[in-house]
Amino acid sequence: MKINLLGKILLLVALWCTGTVTSAKDYLLTSPDKTIQVKVSVTDVIKWSVIRKGETVLLPSPLSMTLISGEKLGVNPVVQKDSRKSVKETITAVVPVKNRLIPDVYNELKLQCKGGYVVHFRAYNDGAAYRFETNLPANEIEVQHETANFQLGGNYQVYWPQESDPEFQSHYEATFKDTTLASIGSQQYGYLPLLFTSGKGTKVLISEADLYDYPNLFLFGTGSSQLTSAFPKVILESKLKGNSDRNEQITRKAEYIARTSGKRTFPWRTLIVTDDKGLLETDMVYKLATPNTLSQTAWIKPGKVAWDWYNFNNVYGVDFRAGVNTDTYKYYIDFAAQYGLEYIILDEGWSAATTNLMAPNKDLNLAALMQYANSKKVGVILWALWNTLDKDIDKILDQFVKWGVKGVKVDFMARGDQYMVNYYERVAKAAAQRQLLVDLHGAYKPVGLNRKYPNVLSYEGVKGLESNKWSDIITPTHNVTLPFTRMVAGPMDYTPGAMVNTTKIGFKDVFNQPMSQGTRAHQVAMYVIYESPLQMLADSPTNYLKDPECTRFISQIPTTWDKTVALAGKSGEYVAMARKHGKNWYIGGMTNWDARDLNIPLTFLDGKAYQMEVLRDGINADRHPQDYIIETRPVKAGETIQVKMSGGGGWSAILRPVE
């Protein structure tokens, strides 16, 4: 018996040393405020689960990474060392989107595993995250697949941005379908962020952060409460379709999703677990991102922009022919200067061709225009097709600098593979070296690039106002869904500011004379609610000039925020937020097609007296949505104000301290 027992012990020791047997073990990680628990189980695979206030919102879900060379990180793991730390710091945002000072408070668990990899887990008060880190002997590895599955705690309600392209090509501009998790079949996939609501009303938002040199994560349904991970493979060959300058056909792909360094950290897989108000306040993606790498940032100037493309350059009441020409853009500059807007954008059409960004079109005297803009202290941003810029980025951006341009709007990327992720960073870095701002369109969601390169001011990746030109899907319901879904990931270039506003039955999609559903006050409130350090005024300058009171009000709302306080909200129904910039506070409220009254306590104010200027729906806004009222009255801390909104309406206020 003794010999047999000794033999068994020796066999177990040998198996343990070869890594063919693992010892099951659980690790528990708790958030600083004890509301979130992360349970990590190490058996034949590493799994994690997440609990909030006793409710399991994520059941044990596997995580692993498979390399082409055969290694399977996270499978049959052997934990050699575990370590923990607690962090309580404050991040100062270079370009503050929600908050200038961001508390970075979390507890972390690191599992160092045999085979040269580490898995990091973090627990925040509003969620959790994990990432892989490798320290492999190979200088270069090829990742075949990463398992980042999510087994939710039940058949949750979900806002699902349905996609269909088998190559994961997308402008990331789907609407968010309100459905259930079990209704998403195995052939259906969506992009991040994804928002779920548990049976108890807990909000669970899945996204990712610190994404570099690696493809975007997409999630497929299974007809159950589980989602499975998928990634675009590395593109080896592609070509443009027909005579298109931007629509790609992928003709050859690799068998791997990334070829990358063997010594690196991989993207954070993030799970924000909170309530509706918590979604409006979270900074998790920003906190998990790589810190600012730019030594000089004083030149980065956020601001508002007079934008041409939405309104089709339809200026009128002028003595020149409107279009993509010098006179029209001088008119934009005059408008911007009159209302203190920092920039204008020259969108598609300004250049000799979309494939030639080195020369303006024949109707545009760019040198004269730049001189005129400088005299008016208005910056100019130029549009660029991504693949044209990609072919000769240094030469093109150098030319932009010679012209005196302040930034570049890069468009139609429509991919989320490794090359495109690297392209985003190359653009950000090359632009920063020349002190140029960046606005990314046709883009996937923010993943923290705007923290590492704060000259990246905004991203599209949203079904925004421009869709009014060809569809009726931009409804007030859609508009009050975005703050709880897409906007949670970061800056959102929705391009608000429609001045032609209609009822549901009065709306028509007219490409060259667009209008919006909902009230004027609904549009104005977007300047407080929607986060974008480069915020557009999308309508015709003429329409703004014809309504100077509304335009004056919009022009006084800043584009960055020192502090954000969520006041009330429910995804798809309504939202109300307070934001501080300098000494002033700003309040915004928006509702879906239901008229709504909210009582807002001014508990966020200090002891000062404030003068509150309000732009709200007029008494007839339900039948004539352009009806609004501007009124002023004194308020003070502790007072409760009534926010009254028509169906499809909005409410905004600027609170200035009485000196």
Side-chain angles (χ1 to χ4, degrees), residues 233-250:
K233 293 182 178 179
V234 167
I235 298 172
L236 299 176
E237 290 179 0
S238 66
K239 64 180 181 180
L240 293 173
K241 296 178 181 179
N243 296 320
S244 175
D245 60 356
R246 64 200 67 181
N247 296 320
E248 282 188 290
Q249 179 182 350
I250 297 170

Side-chain angles (χ1 to χ4, degrees), residues 50-127:
V50 179
I51 303 161
R52 180 180 185 260
K53 297 181 178 179
E55 180 187 13
T56 302
V57 295
L58 183 73
L59 296 170
S61 299
L63 51 103
S64 65
M65 186 177 292
T66 302
L67 308 185
I68 286 287
S69 54
E71 295 98 320
K72 293 185 177 181
L73 315 183
V75 176
N76 295 322
V78 176
V79 177
Q80 296 177 318
K81 180 181 179 182
D82 63 90
S83 58
R84 296 172 182 267
K85 70 175 181 179
S86 297
V87 172
K88 188 175 182 180
E89 299 175 346
T90 300
I91 299 167
T92 301
V94 175
V95 177
V97 178
K98 278 186 174 70
N99 300 286
R100 185 173 297 277
L101 300 177
I102 302 171
D104 193 22
V105 182
Y106 61 88
N107 292 326
E108 183 174 270
L109 167 69
K110 290 172 61 175
L111 300 182
Q112 183 175 319
C113 299
K114 183 179 180 181
Y117 69 96
V118 177
V119 188
H120 302 246
F121 297 89
R122 286 187 184 177
Y124 290 86
N125 294 340
D126 60 352

